[in-house]
Amino acid sequence: MTATGPSGDELLRLLGALANPHRLRIVAALRAERAYVSQLARELGISRALLQLHLRKLEAAGLVSAALELSEDGKAMKFYEVKPFLVELSPDTIAAAAPTLSTPAPGDEGERS
């Protein structure tokens, strides 16, 4: 993210990561405290496999981070926590981000100058 806001690709990644009810619930749950996968899956009532899929998407967008820790009994546990973020979504933000998209707009591929 730049000082003026996210690039077009960053904005798409952020919006895509948040455009799912499970992922919104995950961010909300992690806002209160960090959690390990099994604990979070029980709290949200979803399978660990589905949770991990959503956590990977959130992590790729830079919205959550993970740390592997050993429990007292020596088990490896992956803890997730939400990273602070703030994205202003306005027509101006979108207008500034749009020209930086790496994917060309439809019809731009074959244009000649």
Side-chain angles (χ1 to χ4, degrees), residues 69-77 79:
E69 297 180 17
L70 289 179
S71 66
E72 291 180 13
D73 62 355
K75 270 179 50 176
M77 299 170 63
F79 280 87

Side-chain angles (χ1 to χ4, degrees), residues 23 26-27 30 54-66 80-85:
R23 292 192 287 267
I26 292 166
V27 170
L30 293 175
H54 289 301
L55 285 167
R56 279 194 295 274
K57 181 91 171 182
L58 290 167
E59 193 171 16
L63 300 172
V64 301
S65 61
Y80 284 87
E81 63 185 341
V82 72
K83 294 170 69 173
F85 65 91

Side-chain angles (χ1 to χ4, degrees), residues 15 26 30 34 42 44-45 49 67 76 78 90 99-100 102 112:
L15 294 175
I26 292 166
L30 293 175
R34 71 190 194 116
R42 281 191 302 274
L44 297 174
K78 197 168 192 177
S90 68
T100 68
S102 61
R112 301 202 188 269

Side-chain angles (χ1 to χ4, degrees), residues 20-33:
N20 180 283
H22 288 304
R23 292 192 287 267
L24 286 180
R25 288 183 186 102
I26 292 166
V27 170
L30 293 175
R31 181 186 127 294
E33 66 179 339

Side-chain angles (χ1 to χ4, degrees), residues 37 47-57 78 80:
V37 173
S47 72
R48 289 178 55 209
L50 180 60
L51 174 62
Q52 288 178 335
L53 179 123
H54 289 301
L55 285 167
R56 279 194 295 274
K57 181 91 171 182
K78 197 168 192 177
Y80 284 87

